[in-house]
Amino acid sequence: MSLDFRIEITSGKARAGRLFTPHAEIETPVFMPVGTLASVKAIPQDTLEELGAQIILGNTYHLYLRPGVETVRRMGGLHGFMSWPRAILTDSGGFQVFSLNELRKVSEEGVTFRSHLDGSSHFFSPESAMEAQIGLGADIIMAFDECTEFPADRERTRASMELTARWAARSKKYFEEHKHEVPWAGNVRVGTAAPGCPAEQSSAPEPSDFATPSVGSGQGHQQASFRSPGQPGAAVPTQSLFGIVQGGMDRELRRESALRTIEIGFPGYSIGGLSVGEPRELTREIVESTLEHLPADKPRYLMGVGTPEEIVEYANLGVDMMDCVLPTRAARHGLLFTSEGKVSIKQARYAQDPNPLDPNCACRVCRRYSRAYLRHLYASNEVLAQVLNTIHNLSFYLDTMRRVRHSIRLGEECGFLSSVWSRPKP
Amino acid sequence: MSLDFRIEITSGKARAGRLFTPHAEIETPVFMPVGTLASVKAIPQDTLEELGAQIILGNTYHLYLRPGVETVRRMGGLHGFMSWPRAILTDSGGFQVFSLNELRKVSEEGVTFRSHLDGSSHFFSPESAMEAQIGLGADIIMAFDECTEFPADRERTRASMELTARWAARSKKYFEEHKHEVPWAGNVRVGTAAPGCPAEQSSAPEPSDFATPSVGSGQGHQQASFRSPGQPGAAVPTQSLFGIVQGGMDRELRRESALRTIEIGFPGYSIGGLSVGEPRELTREIVESTLEHLPADKPRYLMGVGTPEEIVEYANLGVDMMDCVLPTRAARHGLLFTSEGKVSIKQARYAQDPNPLDPNCACRVCRRYSRAYLRHLYASNEVLAQVLNTIHNLSFYLDTMRRVRHSIRLGEECGFLSSVWSRPKP
C-alpha cells in the first residue's frame, strides 16, 4: 500500500484530512496546479514550493508525445526529470485523447489517435496507458477511461460507461503486475524523490517511507504505521492507481459506474466526464449524487474543475482533490482572481493604478508590484506578465483551499468567496 | 553631486572600484542587465536581486512609447514603477531611434521618428530626451547623441560627431536646469528608493544619503563624506548625466569627441557608436584608443557590448560599465553561455543528458535542473525555458564580472575565459 488517507475532521459533507504519498504529505481538500508538459507554465519549481504546492498534475498524453515516456523514465520519472521532489498525479490520457475529437477512433481494445503535433498515429489501451504512467512515475495515476461526450443519449452513455468499467479492470490488472517497475521503486524518501532529483533545498525532513506530518496545524493525528525500509519485510512504496467514475449526466448510470468501479477496488476514486460543456448546475448535481456512492474513507478526486467559487463549492460537497488549468491559463490571458473579484489587467483603467492587484493577498506579486506595472507588462507582451500573473493566480487558488480547510476545521460552511464573487463588479 | 566613483585598485589598464549612486553601491567593472520595457525579460525583480544585479538598464525610446514617461513619473519614476530599489541607468533614446533606419529624420534641432509600434510621429531633441529621462528617474542618464552609422566617410562622421557635441552641451544645460524635477528628489534612501517602491525585503541597510559599503570584499576604503539628510544644508541626491563619445571608426575624431565632451564636463563618460556592424578587432582598437583620452578618475561606460570574452577584454582595457541584450536575448533563443563554452540547448544531443547545464555554475538553474529538462522545455516552447535560460545566462555574465573584479584585485590578467572559449567545441 502506497497511499494513506486520513480524514481528520468533517463539517457537513466537507472533510479535512491528509493524504500521504511516497513523495509528500498533502492537506486535503487540495487544489493541484496543472503542469501539462512537466512544467506548471511559466513557474520555476522553487516558486511552486514557496507557494506551498504539495502535489501537481502532469498530462500523460502530452508527455507521451514530448519528451516521450522513455526519456522521463531514464531520468528517474517525472520527479527526477523536472526536479520536483513533492507529489505528482498523472491523468490517463483518456480525456486528452477525447479532446482530439476527429483525430481519434475508439474500439474495445483501446483508442487510435493522431498527434496534435505532427499528425502521427498512436494507440492507447488500458495496458499501454498504465505502462506510460508507470514510466512517468507519478505518485497517483489514473485508470484509462473513455470520457463521454456531451450531450449523449442514454444508450451511448451506458455503453461508454461500461467500456470504462472494463478498461478499469484491465488497468488494474496491468498495474498490479507491473507496479514494481516504477523508476523510483525502492529509492524514494520523502523530500528526496527519485534518483536524479536533487533533494529539496528549503527543508530537511526526516527520512521515512512516507511523509511525516510537518505542517503545524495544531491538529494531532495518529502516526502512520508503515514500516521503515530498514525493517525486515519493509513495504516498497509504489504508485497508487485511482479508478474513474463516468456515466455522463445520468445519475443512475453514475451510480452504477461508481458501484462497478468500487467493486474492482481502488485506493481512490475520480469523477471524470464533467466540465465538458454541460451547465454548471448540472455539474453540481452529478457531483453531489455521485459522491453519495463513493466510500467515505477514500480520497475523492473531481477532475478538471474549476473556478474559485466552484472549488469551494465542491470541497463543501465532500470532494478532496481538484485540478484545473483555469488559474494558469487565465493568468496568461491577463485574467486575475482576487479577493475582490476578477480583474482583467489589460484594461486601461489600471494604467496608473498604484495599488496592489489584491490588497488582501500576501503573495510575492501583490507584496511588490502595482496594478499599473502588471498592466504595462501585459500590454507590452512581456514574458514577466505571464510569470507574475501565474504566481498570483496560483497563490489565490492555493490560499482559497487553505481557507476552505481552515473553515472545515472550524466547523464553518466555506462560503467566504460567494459573497464577494456574486457581487456585481465595481 | 550625486555620483561617487572610487578606484580602489588597478592592474595594468584595468581598474576595480565602486560607484555610489542614490540607489546603490555598485562594484565595478560592472555588467548591467538590460530591462528595455522596465523588465529584464522573463525575470522577476527578486530574482535579479538574488543574482546580485546592482544596476539595470532601461531604454528611454521604448519606455517613452510604452507606458509613457508621465505614467512612470507618477509612480515615482522607474524605481517605483517597476519596484526596483537598486540603481537604474537609461540610454538617451539616440541609439534606439538610430536603429529605426528609414523611420527617422535628423536636423540640428533633433530627430523626428516614427514609432515601430503604430507608425505615429514623434520628436526627440536633447531637451526632450532629458525631460523624458528626468521623468523616468534613473540614477544615471545619457546625453542625447547621434549614433553614426557604419560605414560612414570622414566628412559624415565629423559632422555627426560635432552634432553630438552640440547636443551634449544642450543636454547638460537642460539637465542642470531641471534635475531637481526627478520624481524621487529628496525622498531617496538606499534600499528604499522612490515613493511607491516597496523597501527591499532581503536586507535592511542603514539609511543614508548614499549607499554604504555592505559587500564583504575585505578591501577597506574611505567612507563617503556626504552629509546625511538630517544635517543642515544636506545635499539632495539627483540623477547623474553622462556624456557620450562618438566619432565612428576614426581614432582622431574619437579623440576630438572625447576632448570636446570632457570640456563640457560630465561625472562619467560613455563610448557610443560601436557594435554597429564593424569587425570586432576594429571595435577593440577604437575602445582602446578612446579610453586613453578619458579622465582616469571618472567612470567609463562602453555601451552595448558584448560577448563574455568581450566584456572580460574590455574590462582589462579599463572599461568600468557595460550593458548588452546578448545574455537575455540569446537565452530566449536557447543559446546558453557556460564555463565550458556555448551550449545550444535545442540540440537533440541533450535530450537525455542528466548533467547540469554548467557543472561549474552555482546558479539556481544549474543546481536544480538537467540539460535534458532544459532541452525539453525549449523544444516544447514552454515559457519556463525563457525564464530558466535567462536566469542562467545572467548569472554567468554577473559571475564573469565578479571573477574579473577578483582578478584585478589579485593583480592578474583576467584571461580565464579565453582559454575555454577559444577552444573548438567538444
Side-chain angles (χ1 to χ4, degrees):
Chain A
M1 187 182 168
S2 281
L3 195 77
D4 185 28
F5 179 58
R6 305 172 196 169
I7 297 167
E8 292 168 353
I9 195 160
T10 59
S11 174
K13 292 178 175 175
R15 318 108 65 82
R18 284 165 209 271
L19 186 62
F20 297 81
T21 79
H23 291 88
E25 171 189 333
I26 301 149
E27 290 190 88
T28 60
V30 64
F31 179 81
M32 305 181 285
V34 176
T36 296
L37 275 164
S39 166
V40 175
K41 289 191 191 302
I43 304 302
Q45 274 70 311
D46 51 2
T47 303
L48 282 178
E49 289 171 356
E50 285 171 25
L51 287 170
Q54 291 294 341
I55 178 168
I56 61 175
L57 190 138
N59 290 121
T60 298
Y61 163 78
H62 290 280
L63 292 163
Y64 162 87
L65 292 178
R66 285 188 305 194
V69 174
E70 185 54 22
T71 292
V72 175
R73 195 189 62 75
R74 288 193 188 184
M75 303 288 293
L78 280 172
H79 293 91
F81 180 64
M82 67 182 290
S83 188
W84 176 251
R86 300 181 182 175
I88 302 174
L89 180 151
T90 48
D91 64 5
S92 67
F95 179 78
Q96 305 283 334
V97 169
F98 161 83
S99 305
L100 294 174
N101 289 315
E102 300 312 308
L103 299 174
R104 74 186 191 293
K105 190 178 167 201
V106 181
S107 69
E108 180 67 31
E109 186 52 27
V111 184
T112 304
F113 60 94
R114 290 193 178 277
S115 160
H116 72 289
L117 295 174
D118 61 6
S120 56
S121 184
H122 300 269
F123 178 72
F124 268 0
S125 65
E127 292 78 16
S128 70
M130 289 306 103
E131 182 184 21
Q133 288 188 85
I134 292 170
L136 295 175
D139 296 69
I140 299 173
I141 68 178
M142 293 295 130
F144 191 63
D145 62 327
E146 186 185 48
C147 181
T148 316
E149 66 279 5
F150 175 83
D153 64 29
R154 191 153 208 256
E155 188 178 3
R156 159 69 191 140
T157 305
R158 166 170 287 284
S160 174
M161 180 273 284
E162 291 180 344
L163 181 64
T164 287
R166 292 191 296 275
W167 284 358
R170 284 167 57 187
S171 295
K172 182 177 177 183
K173 180 169 187 290
Y174 187 95
F175 175 72
E176 292 298 335
E177 291 166 0
H178 295 270
K179 62 185 180 184
H180 61 280
E181 295 166 9
V182 68
W184 40 261
N187 282 309
V188 76
R189 294 288 181 282
V190 62
T192 59
C197 178
E200 215 172 327
Q201 286 140 18
S202 55
S203 62
E206 289 177 43
S208 119
D209 238 25
F210 287 84
T212 50
S214 61
V215 180
S217 68
Q219 300 281 336
H221 65 275
Q222 293 286 311
Q223 271 289 348
S225 60
F226 302 113
R227 285 163 291 188
S228 80
Q231 292 178 310
V236 173
T238 61
Q239 302 173 280
S240 295
L241 174 65
F242 278 25
I244 303 182
V245 176
Q246 292 286 351
M249 306 303 154
D250 188 307
R251 295 164 67 129
E252 187 48 42
L253 290 178
R254 285 276 171 183
R255 176 178 165 278
E256 187 175 336
S257 179
L259 297 181
R260 290 176 72 159
T261 312
I262 293 164
E263 192 178 351
I264 298 167
F266 295 95
Y269 296 92
S270 308
I271 302 176
L274 294 175
S275 282
V276 289
E278 79 281 8
R280 281 292 177 263
E281 189 48 44
L282 185 52
T283 315
R284 187 199 147 98
E285 277 179 38
I286 296 298
V287 170
E288 195 164 12
S289 74
T290 304
L291 286 170
E292 288 171 15
H293 308 298
L294 296 180
D297 63 341
K298 293 284 194 294
R300 303 152 165 184
Y301 165 29
L302 178 56
M303 305 177 83
V305 293
T307 65
E309 306 96 309
E310 287 165 0
I311 63 173
V312 173
E313 184 179 13
Y314 297 135
N316 279 335
L317 292 178
V319 168
D320 305 302
M321 306 163 68
M322 286 170 271
D323 77 284
C324 193
V325 295
L326 184 58
T328 43
R329 183 174 291 167
R332 299 196 304 280
H333 291 91
L335 182 65
L336 302 172
F337 300 102
T338 82
S339 63
E340 298 178 336
K342 283 183 258 188
V343 168
S344 175
I345 200 64
K346 69 184 76 174
Q347 292 177 7
R349 63 196 288 203
Y350 302 119
Q352 300 194 357
D353 187 337
N355 297 302
L357 173 59
D358 184 346
N360 301 312
C361 177
C363 84
R364 60 163 70 192
V365 178
C366 291
R367 281 202 314 266
R368 181 155 197 161
Y369 305 101
S370 65
R371 291 177 168 194
Y373 184 61
L374 296 177
R375 194 261 176 184
H376 162 67
L377 292 178
Y378 188 84
S380 302
N381 203 24
E382 283 286 325
V383 177
L384 190 57
Q386 298 186 45
V387 177
L388 298 183
N389 290 350
T390 304
I391 290 174
H392 170 78
N393 270 2
L394 280 181
S395 178
F396 185 77
Y397 264 65
L398 294 171
D399 274 352
T400 295
M401 291 308 275
R402 271 184 209 102
R403 295 177 67 174
V404 166
R405 293 192 294 265
H406 190 66
S407 293
I408 295 171
R409 289 184 187 278
L410 293 177
E412 295 169 352
E413 177 84 355
C414 341
F416 58 85
L417 268 180
S418 53
S419 59
V420 170
W421 283 69
S422 57
R423 231 174 29 198
K425 281 185 67 176
Chain B
M1 184 181 173
S2 280
L3 196 77
D4 186 27
F5 180 57
R6 303 169 196 173
I7 297 168
E8 292 168 352
I9 195 162
T10 59
S11 173
K13 292 178 175 176
R15 319 106 68 77
R18 282 166 210 274
L19 186 63
F20 297 82
T21 79
H23 291 87
E25 170 191 334
I26 301 150
E27 289 190 88
T28 61
V30 65
F31 179 82
M32 304 180 286
V34 176
T36 296
L37 274 165
S39 166
V40 175
K41 290 189 189 301
I43 306 300
Q45 274 70 311
D46 51 2
T47 303
L48 282 177
E49 289 170 356
E50 284 172 24
L51 288 169
Q54 291 294 341
I55 179 167
I56 61 174
L57 191 138
N59 291 120
T60 298
Y61 163 78
H62 289 281
L63 291 162
Y64 162 87
L65 293 178
R66 282 190 306 196
V69 173
E70 185 54 22
T71 292
V72 175
R73 195 190 61 74
R74 287 191 189 183
M75 303 288 293
L78 280 172
H79 294 91
F81 180 64
M82 66 183 289
S83 189
W84 175 250
R86 300 182 182 173
I88 302 175
L89 180 151
T90 48
D91 64 5
S92 66
F95 178 78
Q96 305 283 335
V97 168
F98 161 84
S99 307
L100 295 174
N101 289 314
E102 299 312 307
L103 298 176
R104 76 187 190 293
K105 190 179 166 199
V106 182
S107 70
E108 181 65 31
E109 188 53 27
V111 184
T112 304
F113 61 94
R114 290 193 179 278
S115 160
H116 73 288
L117 295 174
D118 61 6
S120 56
S121 184
H122 301 270
F123 178 72
F124 269 0
S125 65
E127 292 77 17
S128 69
M130 289 307 101
E131 183 184 19
Q133 287 188 84
I134 291 169
L136 295 174
D139 297 68
I140 299 173
I141 69 176
M142 294 295 131
F144 191 62
D145 63 326
E146 186 186 46
C147 180
T148 316
E149 66 280 4
F150 176 83
D153 63 29
R154 192 154 207 256
E155 188 179 4
R156 160 70 191 140
T157 305
R158 166 169 288 282
S160 174
M161 179 273 283
E162 291 180 343
L163 181 65
T164 287
R166 293 191 296 275
W167 283 0
R170 285 168 57 188
S171 294
K172 182 177 176 181
K173 180 169 186 291
Y174 187 95
F175 175 70
E176 292 299 334
E177 291 167 0
H178 296 270
K179 62 185 181 185
H180 60 281
E181 295 166 9
V182 69
W184 39 263
N187 283 308
V188 75
R189 294 289 181 280
V190 62
T192 60
C197 176
E200 216 172 327
Q201 287 143 15
S202 53
S203 62
E206 290 177 41
S208 118
D209 237 22
F210 288 83
T212 50
S214 60
V215 180
S217 67
Q219 302 280 337
H221 66 275
Q222 294 285 313
Q223 271 288 346
S225 61
F226 302 111
R227 285 164 290 189
S228 81
Q231 291 177 308
V236 173
T238 62
Q239 302 173 282
S240 296
L241 174 65
F242 278 25
I244 302 182
V245 177
Q246 291 286 351
M249 305 305 153
D250 187 308
R251 295 165 66 131
E252 187 48 42
L253 291 177
R254 284 278 170 181
R255 177 179 164 277
E256 188 176 333
S257 179
L259 297 181
R260 290 176 73 157
T261 311
I262 293 163
E263 193 179 347
I264 298 167
F266 294 96
Y269 295 93
S270 308
I271 302 176
L274 294 176
S275 283
V276 288
E278 78 282 6
R280 281 291 178 261
E281 188 48 43
L282 184 53
T283 315
R284 187 199 148 98
E285 277 179 37
I286 297 297
V287 170
E288 196 164 14
S289 73
T290 304
L291 286 170
E292 288 172 14
H293 309 298
L294 296 179
D297 64 340
K298 293 285 194 294
R300 302 151 165 184
Y301 164 30
L302 177 56
M303 306 176 81
V305 296
T307 64
E309 306 97 308
E310 287 165 1
I311 63 173
V312 173
E313 185 179 12
Y314 297 134
N316 278 336
L317 293 177
V319 168
D320 306 302
M321 304 163 69
M322 287 169 273
D323 77 283
C324 194
V325 294
L326 184 58
T328 42
R329 183 173 293 168
R332 298 196 303 280
H333 292 91
L335 181 64
L336 302 173
F337 300 102
T338 81
S339 64
E340 299 178 336
K342 282 182 260 189
V343 168
S344 175
I345 200 65
K346 70 184 75 174
Q347 292 177 7
R349 62 196 290 204
Y350 302 120
Q352 299 194 359
D353 187 338
N355 297 302
L357 174 58
D358 184 347
N360 301 311
C361 178
C363 84
R364 62 162 70 190
V365 178
C366 290
R367 280 203 314 267
R368 182 156 196 161
Y369 305 102
S370 64
R371 291 177 168 194
Y373 184 61
L374 295 177
R375 195 263 176 183
H376 162 68
L377 292 178
Y378 188 85
S380 302
N381 204 24
E382 283 287 324
V383 177
L384 189 56
Q386 299 187 44
V387 177
L388 298 183
N389 291 350
T390 304
I391 289 174
H392 170 79
N393 271 2
L394 280 181
S395 178
F396 184 77
Y397 265 65
L398 295 170
D399 274 351
T400 296
M401 291 309 274
R402 268 184 211 103
R403 295 176 68 173
V404 166
R405 293 192 295 266
H406 190 65
S407 293
I408 296 171
R409 291 184 186 275
L410 294 177
E412 295 167 353
E413 178 82 356
C414 345
F416 59 85
L417 269 180
S418 53
S419 59
V420 170
W421 283 69
S422 56
R423 233 176 28 200
K425 283 187 62 178

